Amino acid sequence: MGASSASKLGELTPSQTQLPAELQGQIGQRLREAYNELISEPVPDRFINLLQQLKDREDKSPDDHQEQGQGGKT
């Protein structure tokens, strides 16, 4: 039962039809508008602070990563 349900994911059944191209275009346009609104919002200060903390932590750590990467070359 579960396997046959999983294999039909994404497949159209006879009772389902694809959306008309005009409606698909409208949905696409609305999604693009919503996405553009989202990416134009400023990054929250909390995220900026967390990213800065990570950067500071990387800057303070010894260069172990570089030494390990060069260790195999002779």
Side-chain angles (χ1 to χ4, degrees), residues 32-50:
R32 282 188 289 279
E33 289 171 2
Y35 177 75
N36 286 334
E37 277 184 44
L38 180 67
I39 63 170
S40 67
E41 291 182 8
V43 176
D45 290 339
R46 172 92 171 116
F47 291 163
I48 293 172
N49 291 338
L50 288 171

Side-chain angles (χ1 to χ4, degrees), residues 9-59:
L9 287 175
E11 296 178 13
L12 294 177
T13 63
S15 64
Q16 294 175 321
T17 58
Q18 288 188 334
L19 295 173
E22 182 180 340
L23 186 54
Q24 288 180 15
Q26 290 176 359
I27 291 171
Q29 180 63 35
R30 303 270 170 120
L31 287 171
R32 282 188 289 279
E33 289 171 2
Y35 177 75
N36 286 334
E37 277 184 44
L38 180 67
I39 63 170
S40 67
E41 291 182 8
V43 176
D45 290 339
R46 172 92 171 116
F47 291 163
I48 293 172
N49 291 338
L50 288 171
L51 290 170
Q52 186 61 49
Q53 288 175 15
L54 285 171
K55 184 179 181 308
D56 292 344
R57 192 176 295 175
E58 285 179 353
D59 291 344

